[in-house]
Amino acid sequence: MLYLKTEEEIELLRKANLLVSSTLAEIAKIIRPGVTTKELDNLAEQFIRDHKAVPTFKGYPNPYGSPFPASICTSVNQVVVHGIPDDTILQDGDIVSVDCGTLIDGFCGDSCYTFCVGEVKEETKKLLKATKESLYKAIEQALPGRRIGDIGYAVQHHCEKQGYGVVREFVGHGIGKEMHEDPQVPNYGTRGTGKQLRNGLCIAIEPMITLGSPKLRMLDDRWTVETCDGRCAAHFEHTIAIHKGKADILSTFEQIEEIEGHLY
Ligand code: MG
Ligand code: MG
């Protein structure tokens, strides 16, 4: 069932999402070779709790194994999603996707950004650029009257024409009081198909794009998902509200991009 939000609820969602964005910006300030992913997690958890919010990922249930043990997902290089922060030391040339979720005043925030660690290869920068562009192309489609398939088509078309792989197994989602609500928002699709978008619908759009094949495998921890061919993957996510006839982006990369100095 689609749960359409009121204007008041959209403002609460904005608050939760801006906290996610500020958390990712705090992380951007300390990402460099030599930092561990656990240090990023400690910073994120402290920052979120200092703002009287809850990190929604921590303790997130897993039907196949233990609940998620950390406040952010840190997915390094070939890891696509759900990497668990640990003693892994980030190296010059790595990329790391940091996915973060918050709950404040009863509403959820969810956003992800793929960061460069030091100097990364040109082909990797191009993957990040294409993935981020595909997110904004998808958001352009998120208008009342359009359909879920228009969003997926925009991501798929932009990335596949450049030879990248589009992950099928993980998708975007509705968001509100719950982090994952209906509808599912795939990163592939056919124009003019799927559920119709309406004012009040709030969704997280999150392209997960691979440099090589999008074939995935899950590691024994039952969380970490990586590419089978070992090549890199990128992941960018915004939460948006469709209202007043347009797409309103509730999270923001502005602070991150200022810190990064628009590397790509
Ligand atoms: Mg996310
Ligand atoms: Mg999400």
Side-chain angles (χ1 to χ4, degrees):
M1 195 188 117
L2 296 190
Y3 171 33
L4 302 176
K5 277 77 183 176
T6 64
E7 289 299 315
E8 290 73 25
E9 289 173 322
I10 288 170
E11 289 317 308
L12 291 170
L13 267 170
R14 192 189 310 278
K15 183 178 174 187
N17 278 284
L18 289 179
L19 180 58
V20 172
S21 303
S22 302
T23 307
L24 293 177
E26 288 301 306
I27 287 170
K29 289 179 191 167
I30 67 157
I31 281 192
R32 62 176 65 88
V35 169
T36 68
T37 51
K38 184 70 195 152
E39 288 175 79
L40 305 183
D41 182 51
N42 291 341
L43 172 75
E45 178 162 7
Q46 192 63 52
F47 189 81
I48 292 167
R49 294 198 190 279
D50 283 349
H51 287 80
K52 302 195 169 19
V54 174
T56 40
F57 292 4
K58 196 153 196 176
Y60 198 85
N62 180 348
Y64 312 104
S66 351
F68 196 75
S71 297
I72 52 172
C73 300
T74 50
S75 303
V76 180
N77 296 334
Q78 79 283 357
V79 178
V80 182
V81 285
H82 306 158
I84 299 174
D86 60 10
D87 295 331
T88 303
I89 298 170
L90 295 174
Q91 310 286 333
D92 189 43
D94 283 348
I95 56 169
V96 56
S97 301
V98 180
D99 198 348
C100 179
T102 61
L103 175 71
I104 185 164
D105 296 339
F107 283 83
C108 292
D110 188 9
S111 178
C112 179
Y113 195 92
T114 302
F115 296 92
C116 295
V117 182
E119 194 51 46
V120 309
K121 279 191 212 156
E122 207 51 45
E123 65 166 8
T124 311
K125 281 187 197 168
K126 283 187 180 153
L127 170 71
L128 302 191
K129 182 169 183 280
T131 306
K132 197 199 274 186
E133 282 168 357
S134 77
L135 170 58
Y136 288 105
K137 287 188 178 291
I139 291 171
E140 280 172 23
Q141 295 299 317
L143 301 171
R146 299 277 173 85
R147 292 182 181 272
I148 289 289
D150 295 317
I151 292 176
Y153 175 85
V155 172
Q156 183 181 12
H157 178 72
H158 187 71
C159 294
E160 286 186 348
K161 77 178 180 196
Q162 297 179 70
Y164 299 126
V166 175
V167 168
R168 303 291 202 276
E169 291 87 340
F170 297 90
V171 296
H173 48 89
I175 181 166
K177 288 181 179 165
E178 302 289 332
M179 187 164 63
H180 296 121
E181 296 184 354
D182 280 345
Q184 291 203 340
V185 184
N187 295 306
Y188 58 93
T190 305
R191 281 189 281 194
T193 66
K195 286 202 175 99
Q196 195 161 40
L197 307 177
R198 295 167 61 185
N199 279 314
L201 185 64
C202 297
I203 52 176
I205 302 178
E206 47 181 316
M208 290 154 249
I209 306 298
T210 60
L211 197 52
S213 160
K215 207 165 168 248
L216 307 179
R217 68 168 161 236
M218 186 180 278
L219 302 190
D220 289 342
D221 63 23
R222 310 307 289 166
W223 279 109
T224 310
V225 175
E226 63 177 28
T227 58
C228 288
D229 64 11
R231 301 186 76 193
C232 283
H235 182 196
F236 287 88
E237 175 180 27
H238 269 317
T239 291
I240 68 155
I242 299 165
H243 69 141
K244 298 176 181 166
K246 57 184 185 190
D248 184 357
I249 307 177
L250 303 179
S251 42
T252 175
F253 295 152
E254 226 168 86
Q255 300 150 273
I256 298 171
E257 286 168 347
E258 266 174 37
I259 293 160
E260 283 213 319
H262 296 274
L263 287 175
Y264 51 89

